[in-house]
Structures are given as C-alpha cells and as structure tokens.
Amino acid sequence: KQEVTQIPAALSVPEGENLVLNCSFTDSAIYNLQWFRQDPGKGLTSLLLIQSSQREQTSGRLNASLDKSSGRSTLYIAASQPGDSATYLCAVGETSGSRLTFGEGTQLTVNP
Amino acid sequence: NAGVMQNPRHLVRRRGQEARLRCSPMKGHSHVYWYRQLPEEGLKFMVYLQKENIIDESGMPKERFSAEFPKEGPSILRIQQVVRGDSAAYFCASSIYTPGHSQETQYFGPGTRLLVL
C-alpha cells in the first residue's frame, strides 16, 4: 500500500527566502507525481506534474524534482512571497488514470 | 473553459438525513474522482468513475455511500443516513485521458463542505 509523507508539517520563513519542501513515497513504482497548493477553505490548485520518466519540472519560481528510485520528490520555491502562504500537497499516481495518494501536506507561512 | 464545478459549496444536514453532492467535470473530461478531507487530515481517495461506469471504488465506505456518473449530467456522491463523522470536505477532480498521451493532471473543484449536526 502506497504511503506518502511530507516533511516538515509546517514551515515559517521570512519573505525572500528560498525554501524546499520534501515528499517521500514508499512504493517507487509510480506513474506520476503532482504538487498542489491548497488555500484555507478552498480547493486544490495543481502546480506541477512530473511523469515517472522525468527528473524535474519548472514553472516560474517553482521547481519540482523526482528521484523515483529513492522514493523522493522536492518542491523548491525561490524568492518566497507572502502570497505563497498555503498548504502544499504532494500526491502520487500509481497507474495511468488512477487515483492519487496524498501526503498530509506542509503548511507554509511566508512572513512579510 | 470552466473548471470543475461542485455544488453545493456548503451543506448542512441533520443526522439520519441524506446528502447529495454534485460534480460537473471540466468540458471534455470523462474521468471523475471523489476525495474526502476529514478535519485536520489529508485527502483520501474514495471512488473513480468514467461515464456510466465505476472503475475503482476501493476507498468508499462499504455502507451508506454511493456514487454515479450518468451519461448525461453531473456526477453524484450520495451519502445516506449521515452521521457526524461524515462531516468533511468532499472534493471532486476530473481528468482527460487520451491513449498514448502522458499528461493526466487531475483538476480539482472547490469542494463541498458537509456539516452534520
């Protein structure tokens, strides 16, 4: 059974700092991995999707990497801003079109 | 292209009543997923449907819960005889599947927050 863990559970940083969020998964036989953002009381916004054959994806100030063999992914946020404050969720898809298994999330606070 | 739509956004029910949650996927999407987020917990998969078919319901509680995605109209998640423990945010996601195409991002709706009194 796939299990996804995110560390740290919460993170507070000053504005402008670069930061890394970590995600690990127990079964390396994954199809893809997605990073989402969830704002309080809101739905999920997809940030980046990495296919199992890829090593990283970039979008603006965000960079996600994937090391399938070690069961790890990281989300790097450059030059953090207060608007980046949210909960970041990592989710693993195990086969094409299948369910996603989510981590518990990292609650990020960027202080002005 | 409108995103995934869910209604109602908030639903209050008394114990023993029925709750019906609706999800309209993005235009052209034929795959729908339901997830539940209990208070202070992560999202848990419930069910995966394609038009008129349940593909994977391994995350659905065995009793009181059912889901459908008819040929016409939205997907419905139905909870009969609700209990306080059903209070949660229920999220719907949709995706498009094209054989041989690798991008299968799931797009999430805003969720329905169910409160059982």
Side-chain angles (χ1 to χ4, degrees), chain B residues 20-59:
Chain B
R20 281 185 178 239
L21 288 61
R22 296 175 193 79
C23 169
S24 296
M26 288 180 69
K27 186 177 180 181
H29 286 196
S30 57
H31 296 219
V32 165
Y33 310 79
W34 286 93
Y35 295 85
R36 176 166 67 174
Q37 187 173 37
L38 292 167
E40 308 302 325
E41 293 189 18
L43 277 84
K44 304 293 185 191
F45 167 80
M46 299 182 73
V47 63
Y48 163 35
L49 310 104
Q50 295 176 20
K51 286 284 188 181
E52 300 184 281
N53 286 304
I54 296 175
I55 306 302
D56 180 358
E57 58 181 347
S58 58

Side-chain angles (χ1 to χ4, degrees), chain B:
Chain B
N1 187 7
V4 178
M5 300 178 70
Q6 291 188 248
N7 67 81
R9 295 289 303 275
H10 299 274
L11 182 63
V12 179
R13 285 287 179 267
R14 296 192 181 279
R15 282 179 296 169
Q17 292 184 319
E18 178 180 287
R20 281 185 178 239
L21 288 61
R22 296 175 193 79
C23 169
S24 296
M26 288 180 69
K27 186 177 180 181
H29 286 196
S30 57
H31 296 219
V32 165
Y33 310 79
W34 286 93
Y35 295 85
R36 176 166 67 174
Q37 187 173 37
L38 292 167
E40 308 302 325
E41 293 189 18
L43 277 84
K44 304 293 185 191
F45 167 80
M46 299 182 73
V47 63
Y48 163 35
L49 310 104
Q50 295 176 20
K51 286 284 188 181
E52 300 184 281
N53 286 304
I54 296 175
I55 306 302
D56 180 358
E57 58 181 347
S58 58
M60 287 278 270
K62 293 290 184 281
E63 298 176 346
R64 301 186 297 107
F65 285 72
S66 62
E68 63 176 8
F69 188 16
K71 187 176 180 181
E72 301 291 338
S75 175
I76 306 288
L77 179 67
R78 182 183 177 204
I79 311 172
Q80 295 178 288
Q81 300 176 322
V82 296
V83 300
R84 289 211 172 113
D86 296 333
S87 295
Y90 292 82
F91 291 96
C92 168
S94 73
S95 70
I96 186 168
Y97 174 67
T98 304
H101 193 281
S102 61
Q103 285 286 9
E104 293 173 14
T105 301
Q106 290 190 18
Y107 295 90
F108 280 74
T112 293
R113 279 147 185 87
L114 172 66
L115 176 62
V116 180
L117 301 177

